[in-house]
């Protein structure tokens, strides 16, 4: 069985991603340089995006006492942190609760996928004159080339498909675009050495490249041209991703079978393993776009499939990072654009579905200096409203910047020459100060 991502496709994607990486150095990045907020606790971020909006009552904020019309059929179980309960379908994560903090006071005012995604990914309200970049684009820019990262791979990588709900790069344009891998890392030929699907060996690929370089006389005629030099660097990075050390990071065949089984032989599970390999290689920001959470219909039947998959992949990721000494320097952020309606719609055709709910939902943060075994915020008895310590998306993003040593007051320059601050000012003196 071949991968959904051929070597030719990989090169095209790599060239595009590396082009933005190479050109970024020749464009103005910041309107005003700002000092680091404090010494960095984290080097990288793994964002697990629960695409569609996961139900908070069926994951990290169960309300079994609210009755069947709210709690549904799932029970709550104790974790290894006294008094902290989560859904019974997350038993492995229950054993890892001392490693993460739950943000049960998440809230914003949007119930539409596009605007809610923009709110959570940028920390900004929709409808402003400027379209802001997402946190991954900002981190990739500030912590990537010129920010201390010298790895072979792009500084902002998405596994495995683009979100499509908003423009990750915003006003950064090409400078902020992620490299999107495509494919499915659970398949045996996601990235391998040797013969590829299109019938070319690595040596044949190298020979073709050498021939193209001989035919391309333009760089030799203009050796001091900055644009041509940037393109040459981009090409070098692109080829490294398919023929060099960069390509080896994408080859999961080098991992032990028992570890791959613990992650789960699913697209999501193997994406979690791939994310660990990427941050191990120093990539500053990795997003896993994990779809299937828009459960308007048959919510509970869907979650009986989805939650064990999430449990296996995320719990193993936390344990694997911790075992390798990487969790302390890697932020893991898991959540979606909103929660789901606390009241279950049992009528046909929804058959136990939950709608969109931005007023109250949950997220998980771990590693990178965040205090595990903690809970920030609380919802009411039915999970309908935040009754204690509301947390905005902008506060989460500001806290992540702080853990990375990035000053949240840093300003970037828009195409119109204006200054745009990367995060909204904090409320009450700090971003998630209880757990940072």
């Amino acid at each position: 069985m071949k991968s959904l991502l051929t070597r030719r496709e990989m090169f095209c994607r790599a060239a595009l991603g590396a082009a933005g990486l190479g050109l970024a150095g020749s464009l103005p990045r910041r309107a005003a340089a700002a000092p680091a907020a404090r010494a960095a606790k984290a080097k990288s971020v793994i964002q697990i995006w629960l695409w569609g909006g996961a139900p908070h009552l069926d994951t990290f904020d169960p309300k079994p006492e609210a009755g069947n019309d709210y709690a549904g059929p799932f029970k709550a179980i104790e974790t290894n942190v006294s008094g902290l309960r989560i859904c019974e379908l997350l038993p492995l994560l229950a054993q890892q609760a001392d490693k993460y903090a739950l943000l049960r006071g998440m809230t914003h005012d949007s119930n539409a996928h596009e605007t809610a995604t923009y709110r959570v990914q940028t920390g900004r309200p929709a409808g402003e004159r400027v379209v802001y970049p997402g946190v991954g684009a900002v981190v990739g820019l500030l912590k990537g080339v010129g920010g201390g990262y010298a790895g072979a791979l792009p500084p902002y990588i998405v596994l495995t498909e683009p979100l499509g709900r908003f423009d990750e790069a915003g006003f950064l344009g090409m400078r902020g675009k992620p490299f999107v891998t495509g494919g499915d890392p659970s398949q045996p030929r996601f990235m391998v050495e040797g013969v590829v699907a299109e019938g070319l060996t690595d040596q044949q690929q190298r020979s073709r490249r050498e021939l193209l370089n001989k035919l391309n006389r333009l760089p030799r005629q203009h050796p001091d041209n900055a644009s041509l030099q940037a393109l040459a660097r981009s090409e070098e990075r692109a080829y490294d991703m398919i023929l060099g050390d960069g390509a080896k990071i994408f080859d999961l065949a080098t991992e032990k079978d028992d570890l791959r089984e613990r992650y789960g032989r699913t697209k999501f599970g193997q994406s979690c393993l791939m994310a660990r390999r990427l941050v191990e290689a120093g990539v500053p920001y990795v997003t896993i776009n994990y779809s299937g959470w828009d459960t308007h219909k048959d919510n509970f039947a869907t979650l009986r499939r989805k939650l064990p998959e999430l449990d296996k992949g995320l719990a193993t990721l936390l344990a694997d990072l911790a075992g390798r000494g990487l969790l302390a320097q890697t932020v893991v952020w898991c959540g979606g654009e909103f929660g789901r309606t606390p009241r279950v719609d049992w009528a046909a055709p929804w058959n136990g579905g939950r709608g969109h709910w931005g007023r109250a939902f949950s997220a998980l943060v771990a590693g990178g200096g965040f205090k595990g075994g903690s809970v920030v915020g609380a919802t009411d008895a039915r999970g309908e409203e935040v009754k204690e310590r509301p947390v905005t998306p902008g506060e989460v993003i500001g806290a992540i910047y702080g853990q990375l040593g990035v000053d949240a007051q840093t300003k970037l320059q828009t195409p119109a020459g204006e200054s745009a601050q990367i995060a909204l000012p904090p409320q009450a003196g700090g971003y998630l100060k209880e757990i940072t």
Side-chain angles (χ1 to χ4, degrees):
M1 180 184 295
K2 70 177 184 178
S3 166
L4 299 178
L5 183 66
T6 67
R7 188 64 63 93
R8 184 184 300 277
E9 290 167 336
M10 184 70 178
F11 177 76
C12 292
R13 293 171 188 264
L16 287 172
L21 199 61
L23 293 173
S26 63
L27 296 171
R29 291 187 179 185
R30 308 186 193 185
R38 57 176 181 262
K41 297 180 181 179
K43 295 180 180 179
S44 301
V45 178
I46 297 174
Q47 180 185 17
I48 297 174
W49 183 252
L50 303 182
W51 184 349
H56 51 298
L57 269 69
D58 302 321
T59 53
F60 303 128
D61 192 12
K63 305 287 184 180
E65 295 83 6
N68 190 58
D69 284 343
Y70 291 86
F74 301 152
K75 295 179 174 59
I77 57 171
E78 297 293 332
T79 68
N80 67 348
V81 174
S82 178
L84 178 58
R85 299 186 299 172
I86 61 176
C87 178
E88 65 175 328
L89 295 182
L90 301 172
L92 299 177
L93 280 171
Q95 299 169 20
Q96 302 280 330
D98 59 323
K99 293 184 174 65
Y100 55 77
L102 294 181
L103 311 179
R104 287 178 170 170
M106 293 295 300
T107 184
H108 58 61
D109 59 2
S110 179
N111 287 329
H113 287 293
E114 288 76 11
T115 52
T117 297
Y118 182 80
R119 286 295 299 267
V120 176
Q121 295 270 12
T122 69
R124 297 277 180 166
E128 294 181 304
R129 188 162 52 88
V130 174
V131 178
Y132 280 83
V135 59
V138 174
V139 171
L141 181 69
L142 299 183
K143 303 294 284 187
V145 176
Y149 174 63
L153 300 175
Y156 177 21
I157 295 179
V158 169
L159 302 166
T160 59
E161 56 186 311
L163 185 59
R165 294 291 194 185
F166 83 121
D167 179 8
E168 299 97 332
F171 66 72
L172 290 178
M174 193 64 195
R175 289 180 294 162
K177 288 290 185 184
F179 169 62
V180 183
T181 65
D184 182 349
S186 70
Q187 298 301 313
R189 289 181 56 82
F190 177 67
M191 277 297 295
V192 294
E193 300 299 319
V195 180
V196 298
E198 55 192 16
L200 293 178
T201 65
D202 287 351
Q203 184 54 49
Q204 288 172 322
Q205 193 81 270
R206 292 188 181 93
S207 297
R208 289 188 173 195
R209 182 190 179 193
E210 291 172 2
L211 178 60
L212 285 173
N213 287 338
K214 289 178 181 178
L215 295 174
N216 184 13
R217 296 184 296 174
L218 195 60
R220 295 193 294 274
Q221 293 172 344
H222 303 278
D224 298 325
N225 185 280
S227 296
L228 291 176
Q229 290 174 354
L231 288 173
R233 290 193 298 270
S234 299
E235 179 189 354
E236 191 66 33
R237 286 179 176 273
Y239 271 102
D240 185 73
M241 290 175 65
I242 60 171
L243 297 172
D245 291 338
K248 296 176 183 177
I249 297 172
F250 290 96
D251 184 7
L252 294 184
T254 60
E255 295 286 346
K256 294 181 179 179
D257 284 341
D258 65 334
L259 180 61
R260 297 191 69 179
E261 292 295 336
R262 290 202 299 273
Y263 272 99
R265 293 278 188 168
T266 62
K267 184 177 181 179
F268 172 70
Q270 297 302 290
S271 292
C272 287
L273 175 54
M274 185 68 72
R276 189 224 81 204
R277 291 170 64 88
L278 290 171
V279 298
E280 196 170 28
V283 175
Y285 205 96
V286 180
T287 295
I288 301 172
N289 282 329
Y290 184 21
S291 61
W293 298 92
D294 196 17
T295 54
H296 290 280
K297 294 182 178 181
D298 300 314
N299 173 74
F300 301 104
T302 300
L303 293 183
R304 289 189 187 280
R305 300 191 302 271
K306 299 291 292 183
L307 289 180
E309 189 175 89
L310 172 66
D311 188 45
K312 201 170 187 179
L314 179 52
T316 304
L317 175 63
L318 294 175
D320 196 11
L321 288 170
R324 295 169 185 269
L326 294 171
L327 187 59
Q329 65 186 44
T330 305
V331 173
V332 179
W333 174 25
C334 178
E337 60 262 50
F338 40 50
R340 313 297 302 183
T341 48
R343 188 176 182 89
V344 180
D345 192 342
W346 297 108
W350 312 116
N351 302 321
R354 295 191 190 267
H356 302 171
W357 198 258
R359 282 152 58 181
F361 59 106
S362 298
L364 176 154
V365 290
F370 283 113
K371 296 176 183 176
S374 306
V375 176
V376 180
T379 56
D380 60 22
R382 292 176 172 177
E384 295 173 317
E385 305 284 349
V386 176
K387 69 173 185 178
E388 178 185 309
R389 182 58 173 92
V391 178
T392 65
E395 187 174 2
V396 178
I397 291 174
I400 290 173
Y401 287 150
Q403 301 305 85
L404 291 167
V406 172
D407 192 328
Q409 297 181 42
T410 300
K411 293 180 173 62
L412 301 177
Q413 193 174 72
T414 71
E418 300 173 340
S419 296
Q421 190 166 303
I422 62 173
L424 292 171
Q427 297 179 355
Y431 300 102
L432 292 180
K433 60 185 183 299
E434 303 97 324
I435 58 172
T436 55

